[in-house]
Each structure stands twice: as structure tokens, then as C-alpha cells.
Amino acid sequence: MKKKSWAVLMRSRMAIPTRQLLRSDPLALPQDTSRASEIDDGSINTNAPRVSLKDVKEWMQASISISAEKTELVDVNLENFSQGYLGLSLEGRRVLLLDLSRDYDVNRTRVRELMRKYLSVELPHDTQNEAPGEQQAGLVEDGGMLAMYYRMERNLRDSFKPLYASFFERLNAHPGGLKLLTSIRADLLSVPPKENVPSLHALEAYLKEKLITWLSPATLELQQITWDDSASLLEKIVTYEAVHPIRNLLDLKRRLSKGRRCFGYFHPAIPGEPLIFIEVALLKDVASSIQEVLWDSPPAPEVEAKCALFYSISATQPGLSGINLGKFLIKRVVYLLRRDMPHITVANLNHFIYLDYLNAHPSSPPVLHNSSLGLPSLTSLPNLVQLPGLCGPLDFAQLVESVFPNHLTYVIFATLSPIPGYIQWLISKLASQLKLAQSESKDIKHISEKACGSNFKEDILLPEEEEMILSGYMNWLNSNTASEIEHTEGRENMSGKSGIEIMYEILTSKNWNGSVCLSEALKPSLLRLCARYLLQEKKRGRALDAVANFHLQNGSMIERINWMADQSIKGIEQSGGIMVNYVYRLDKIDEYAQAYLNTGHVHASCSLHQYLQRSKDENNAAS
């Protein structure tokens, strides 16, 4: 075994869930559950000397109260606090943070006193009814009056700052302080929601605002991570990979070798540890399943790459949850890829003219106006318009290659992303409809007429989808894959059941994807409802799915959803095995991002909208 592999293997005392390990693999990374809480609970330092909560509280108080001019004394207390805090139990940390939030909150007595003083000073009589600008002009004549207002307003602004603000500022400036602040916020986020403590919420919100400022994109450095980096850094990549677990050292090396890239955002105050990292695969085509990416061996030559596929983005710090570190990440990664691969021309607006034309004239021969690329004028493309599903950037890439193979080398920047909230949302929808149906059938009197109306009830399944599910379920019961008990109980309970009931039972069971009958029966409805989930389900005007929200606010469009793209246990449980391709059209990133952030509009290919069109057509036919 080479020195690098041996170093990573020896250093990899990481908390990797058992299901992520290939226990039969001699290179499988060892599991050390003793440090599981170190990752999840904010870096508990089990090697730190045990100190009492009283000592840590005294160091905290000293760090806040000592004058900033006594730098050495402040640094000593900050260092003692840092080490002591990491040595506290979770309960000890919670008690300490509760004291911090209450004892060093805003001094409201002083705020009220300053407000009374401010309100007691009357404006000159002739400026009271004037606009702010006119008031300012009037006060300029009295320099002393204007200076007094500025001083009082400055004091009033400062009084609204909580007393722990200076403590956070000092910690941020202290070596290792930024990392500790992320641990503190992770502890604040771990407080159970039922413990509704307003002062703790205010403390967490204030710390989040400060972290957003201290971790602005200008302060972050984007670096490529390679197999030649330190073993400690590679250890962290294995530990924090949250989307597709790294199974062993060979898997790790494959992800960092030719045809692959890994980039991380680093902050100077937290050296050797990425705050977020992204993994990229250079492929001939846009992958439709994660198996194509993870098991692509040997990878395609980079000179033949036509797609840069972002297939995993993982954050490493629980305390930075809710802080969009990925903002500008995609753009900066694209810049580095283009710099390192100068032979590639990025697919831009000109490459997508065919898409726009076809969307506007689906039944007419396509026309390509593309003089800026130096391509011949094209007035007719016979037979190409009949290609199934030819309506998105991915299809146009194939079109350009087939018509102009020697004129253009291009790359599409796309993702293969999970849809982590889909099945949970769908099961919740099914459960609510079943509950409503049961209430209606029992004629419960306390259910109002409105609650039983169409405002709450919806036809989740189309008639043909319901028929497919019932038929597929019956075929499964009659197949050899259903156990004798399942066969008997299923037939007994089948009578009178709706497609929604059957679908709910299937999705809440395990290993349904192992049955061809069940999988094929669910496929049409799961794909259509997935398109609805991504395009229409919103929370406060933003996509309900967290991953979708991330990519859409960064300027992507939804291109394609892929059936059984992730057949892992996690993939089936989260999204029914479905994954989605987001495409970044670099000339449209800003436009798409602004449209999404301003109005919630989601740009998507016509193939996605076709799923929703089926529902509209069915509703129109029913009405």
C-alpha cells in the first residue's frame, strides 16, 4: 500500500455510518463511533482538560469585561474560554449560552433612557413639519444642534447592540475563534424547538448575522483538492461527504483523479478545512444516474468531455446551516474549469437558439441563426424535429454534435442532484387525503362543510395512474416476489382500496423498488408528481426542496428528472430513486437567479412542463 493510502487509512478515525462501509473490502475506512458526536454536536474535544462550568463562565465574563487595551489579558481569557467550552458537556454548553443570552443581552434600561432624552429634544419650530432633507438644511444653520443629534443617534444605535456583541467580535479576532463560533451556533441550533427561549433565539440570530458578514464570498478562497493534499484534509473530505458516501480509499482516489475535480471553499481563519466542497465529473454526456458517475472506470478522456457534472455539494460545518456559502460557488468553479480546459467553449445563448425556436414553433422546421459561431446558415434540419423529447439544452448538444461535428467543442455545466424532500412531501400529501376520505366516509359531524369541500380534497393520481397502481399491486401479489403472508393479507385487504391507499402502503414499506411490477406501476405517477414538487410546491415563495432552492437561487434551470437514478437505500427513501439535472446556462445565470428571487419563477425545460400538462389536460377533460 502506498504511503498516501496508508496515511489516510491510519488517520481516518471518523464517524462514518455503518451502512456506508464495505465491510468485506480490505481498504474500507475504519469506523470510530466514539467520535460521532464530535461531528454532530459541534466538535466536542474529548482531549480537553475537564473544567467546571463556573470556571468557563468566569473566563467568558472576563473576556467581555476586560478593557480591549489589555490585549494579553484578553487573549489569555479567550484561550481559556475556548478550551474550556470545548470540554463542557452539551448540557453545560446550553446552560452557559443561556446565561450569555440573558446576562449580556441588550441593556433595555439604557435604551429607554436614551430614547427619552432623544424625544425630549424638540426640533426647531419651523422645521417640525418639513421633509427630512429640508429639516437637515434647517439644522445645518445650527451646527451645535446638528452635532448633538448625531451624537444622540450614535449612542442610541450602539445601545441596541447586545453586550455579547463585543465578545463575539473578540472571539472572531482570536486564533481559532471563528471555528469556535461555528460550534457555538451549532449548539444553539441543537436546542429542541419545544424549549422556546426568546433570548437564545435572539443570540442565534445575531450570531448568524455576524457569521454571514465574516464569511462573505470575498473572504473565501476556492481551492482544488487533489490526491496530493494532506492526509488530514482528505480525512475531512471522507468525513463530511454528505451526498454520496465515500466507500473506501479507491473510491476517494477515483473522485480526485483524472476526469474528476473537487473544489473547496476555505477561510484563512480555519486553515486546512473546507467550509463547503463540490465534486465534479467530466463526462461525454450528462449522466442520468449516479451509478454512471461513481462507477465510471476508467473515466472518459478529458479532451472528449462535453459535460462538467456537479454531482455532490457538501457543507462541513453544522453551525453554518442556513448561511448560503454556495453563492457564487458555481460561477467560480466554472471559471476554474474553463481556465484549466482552454479547449472547451462554454455552451452559451447561441447554442440554445434552437431550443428557443423549437419551443415557439414546435411543428415547424427549425432554423438556426448562428453567424457568431462561424457556422453555416441552416434553414432546414429534416427528421431532427421528430426526435423524441428534443426540446432542451441536452438534446441540442446532441444536435450540434451530429450536424457540426468539426466546428465546435462545447461543454454543458449541469448537475445530477438529489431531491431529499420529495417522498416525505408525497407521503404527507397521501396521508392527508386518506385522513380526509376517512372523515368523509364516517360523516363526522364536527367536520365543517367547508373542510369536506374541494378546497381541501384533490385528485393526486390521474385515472390511468390509479389503474396502473392497482393492476401492478395485484400482479405483485400474484408474483413470486411477494411472500405468502403478503399475498394472503394483500388479497384480503385489497377489496375497496383506492390507488392512493395502495401507493401510501407501498411507499411506506421497504424495498418496493426491488419489484419490477411495483416499480413500473409507480413510475408515471412518481415522475409527474416529482415535476409538480420541483416546479410548483413553494414555501414563502421559494422551492420547497432545499437542494432545488439552492440551485435555482444560483441561476440554474431544471432540465430533466431521471427515473431510478439513485437506487441506494437513502435515494429510495428520500426521492423514490429519482434525481434531477439542473443546467447552468452561463449567459442566463443572473437573469434566472433574479427571476427566481424576485418572483419565485422557476425556469424549466418543456419536458418538465409536459408532466404538468398531463394534469391540466385531465382536469380540462373532467370539467
Side-chain angles (χ1 to χ4, degrees):
M1 187 180 294
K2 294 184 179 181
K3 291 182 178 179
K4 170 66 70 173
S5 301
W6 181 252
V8 178
L9 184 64
M10 293 302 293
R11 294 179 58 89
S12 295
R13 294 176 54 79
M14 296 167 289
I16 306 174
T18 305
R19 68 174 185 274
Q20 298 179 13
L21 299 176
L22 297 181
R23 307 299 279 178
S24 59
D25 190 338
L27 292 179
L29 298 168
Q31 183 183 19
D32 182 2
T33 56
S34 65
R35 292 181 60 189
S37 60
E38 184 172 340
I39 297 170
D40 299 332
D41 298 328
S43 301
I44 295 176
N45 187 353
T46 55
N47 297 321
R50 283 292 175 182
V51 294
S52 67
L53 176 60
K54 180 181 178 182
D55 291 333
V56 181
K57 188 180 298 185
E58 288 178 354
W59 290 324
M60 179 183 72
Q61 293 169 345
S63 300
I64 297 173
S65 60
I66 294 176
S67 171
E69 298 176 356
K70 301 179 180 180
T71 55
E72 292 186 4
L73 195 54
V74 171
D75 287 343
V76 168
N77 281 281
L78 286 174
E79 184 63 27
N80 288 337
F81 170 81
S82 301
Q83 296 298 324
Y85 183 85
L86 294 176
L88 291 176
S89 65
L90 290 180
E91 179 59 23
R93 294 183 183 191
R94 194 190 71 82
V95 172
L96 181 72
L97 294 175
L98 186 60
D99 289 344
L100 176 65
S101 68
R102 288 174 173 172
D103 297 344
Y104 296 92
D105 198 359
V106 174
N107 187 341
R108 292 179 179 82
T109 301
R110 175 166 170 74
V111 171
R112 293 171 64 86
E113 179 184 344
L114 290 174
M115 290 180 68
R116 280 196 298 268
K117 288 183 179 179
Y118 187 79
L119 294 174
S120 67
V121 179
E122 296 186 3
L123 290 170
H125 182 72
D126 56 352
T127 65
Q128 288 185 4
N129 297 322
E130 295 177 353
E134 296 172 343
Q135 289 180 1
Q136 182 80 353
L139 290 173
V140 167
E141 300 177 2
D142 187 349
M145 176 71 74
L146 188 60
M148 180 186 68
Y149 271 109
Y150 280 139
R151 183 172 59 255
M152 294 177 68
E153 289 160 359
R154 183 180 63 250
N155 291 337
L156 192 56
R157 283 196 303 271
D158 290 342
S159 70
F160 279 106
K161 291 176 62 176
L163 300 179
Y164 48 69
S166 61
F167 178 58
F168 289 157
E169 296 281 355
R170 291 181 178 185
L171 261 182
N172 181 52
H174 186 73
L178 183 59
K179 172 72 172 177
L180 180 64
L181 286 169
T182 64
S183 297
I184 290 175
R185 183 163 181 262
D187 293 332
L188 289 169
L189 292 173
S190 69
V191 175
K194 61 181 181 180
E195 295 185 23
N196 188 17
V197 184
S199 61
L200 281 180
H201 292 323
L203 180 68
E204 183 276 319
Y206 183 84
L207 182 53
K208 179 182 178 180
E209 291 179 4
K210 301 305 294 184
L211 288 171
I212 290 174
T213 301
W214 295 328
L215 296 171
S216 66
T219 66
L220 301 177
E221 301 173 0
L222 186 65
Q223 301 175 13
Q224 183 175 349
I225 300 168
T226 70
W227 181 251
D228 294 326
D229 279 310
S230 67
S232 61
L233 174 56
L234 300 186
E235 170 192 344
K236 292 180 175 64
I237 297 300
V238 177
T239 302
Y240 292 118
E241 167 55 61
V243 184
H244 305 294
I246 297 175
R247 298 174 296 277
N248 52 48
L249 292 174
L250 294 179
D251 187 15
L252 173 62
K253 190 169 185 179
R254 186 186 298 118
R255 299 191 192 197
L256 301 176
S257 299
K258 290 183 179 180
R260 299 291 183 269
R261 297 288 190 276
C262 182
F263 299 94
Y265 256 155
F266 292 81
H267 192 281
I270 309 178
E273 183 169 355
L275 303 181
I276 186 173
F277 60 92
I278 181 171
E279 297 173 68
V280 187
L282 304 177
L283 307 171
K284 289 184 178 181
D285 301 297
V286 177
S288 59
S289 75
I290 194 60
Q291 291 81 8
E292 297 176 46
V293 179
L294 299 181
W295 297 104
D296 178 25
S297 183
E302 292 186 3
V303 293
E304 299 179 11
K306 300 257 176 36
C307 171
L309 188 83
F310 310 121
Y311 66 93
S312 178
I313 302 178
S314 299
T316 67
Q317 308 297 318
L320 299 183
S321 175
I323 298 176
N324 186 10
L325 294 177
K327 191 175 183 181
F328 305 119
L329 174 64
I330 301 293
K331 281 187 175 181
R332 294 178 71 174
V333 169
V334 168
Y335 171 80
L336 290 182
L337 288 172
R338 294 177 67 183
R339 184 193 67 184
D340 295 342
M341 305 174 69
H343 64 284
I344 285 179
T345 300
V346 176
N348 57 25
L349 179 60
N350 293 316
H351 298 72
F352 295 104
I353 291 177
Y354 179 80
L355 164 66
D356 299 330
Y357 184 90
L358 187 58
N359 284 339
H361 309 86
S363 59
S364 304
V367 177
L368 184 66
H369 303 287
N370 217 340
S371 57
S372 63
L373 288 177
L375 302 179
S377 176
L378 192 64
T379 58
S380 178
L381 294 176
N383 302 323
L384 285 176
V385 100
Q386 280 78 33
L387 288 176
L390 184 62
C391 58
L394 309 187
D395 305 302
F396 185 53
Q398 299 169 6
L399 171 69
V400 174
E401 182 179 16
S402 62
V403 179
F404 305 117
N406 299 320
H407 286 79
L408 181 66
T409 302
Y410 62 90
V411 66
I412 290 175
F413 291 94
T415 80
L416 182 62
S417 302
I419 315 171
Y422 172 45
I423 292 297
Q424 181 181 0
W425 165 82
L426 180 55
I427 288 177
S428 176
K429 277 282 183 184
L430 296 172
S432 64
Q433 291 302 304
L434 290 175
K435 186 175 181 180
L436 180 60
Q438 292 172 0
S439 300
E440 290 178 333
S441 64
K442 293 179 180 179
D443 194 25
I444 298 179
K445 294 182 180 180
H446 69 268
I447 300 284
S448 67
E449 191 70 21
K450 182 179 179 180
C452 294
S454 59
N455 289 338
F456 293 88
K457 187 176 181 179
E458 61 175 319
D459 296 323
I460 295 179
L461 297 176
L462 302 180
E464 62 268 26
E465 293 172 347
E466 184 157 7
E467 184 178 341
M468 283 189 67
I469 290 174
L470 293 173
S471 176
Y473 186 68
M474 182 62 70
N475 292 337
W476 173 72
L477 290 177
N478 294 330
S479 68
N480 295 328
T481 56
S483 66
E484 184 176 345
I485 295 177
E486 289 172 328
H487 178 81
T488 304
E489 293 181 350
R491 278 192 166 278
E492 291 176 353
N493 299 327
M494 183 74 179
S495 178
K497 281 193 174 182
S498 65
I500 290 181
E501 289 179 273
I502 300 298
M503 189 179 198
Y504 178 82
E505 290 181 5
I506 294 174
L507 293 180
T508 52
S509 64
K510 295 183 178 179
N511 302 324
W512 59 265
N513 60 304
S515 166
V516 177
C517 296
L518 296 179
S519 182
E520 290 301 314
L522 291 174
K523 181 178 178 179
S525 54
L526 285 181
L527 286 174
R528 181 183 60 81
L529 291 168
C530 183
R532 166 187 163 177
Y533 174 71
L534 292 173
L535 292 175
Q536 296 182 340
E537 296 301 320
K538 304 287 182 66
K539 181 180 181 181
R540 298 173 185 167
R542 300 287 184 266
L544 185 60
D545 187 78
V547 176
N549 182 58
F550 170 82
H551 286 293
L552 293 172
Q553 70 182 359
N554 279 296
S556 72
M557 64 173 287
I558 305 177
E559 171 59 30
R560 182 177 69 192
I561 52 178
N562 306 286
W563 178 249
M564 285 299 155
D566 182 2
Q567 300 184 40
S568 67
I569 296 175
K570 180 180 178 182
I572 297 298
E573 290 178 348
Q574 290 188 340
S575 63
I578 302 173
M579 299 188 76
V580 56
N581 294 121
Y582 298 96
V583 169
Y584 283 89
R585 293 174 56 177
L586 300 191
D587 58 310
K588 291 287 187 177
I589 283 181
D590 292 334
E591 177 185 334
Y592 288 176
Q594 286 303 314
Y596 177 71
L597 293 173
N598 293 338
T599 66
H601 177 69
V602 176
H603 284 84
S605 68
C606 62
S607 63
L608 263 292
H609 287 290
Q610 285 172 356
Y611 286 109
L612 302 184
Q613 189 62 40
R614 291 173 54 202
S615 298
K616 293 180 181 178
D617 294 343
E618 185 66 32
N619 291 335
N620 292 336
S623 60

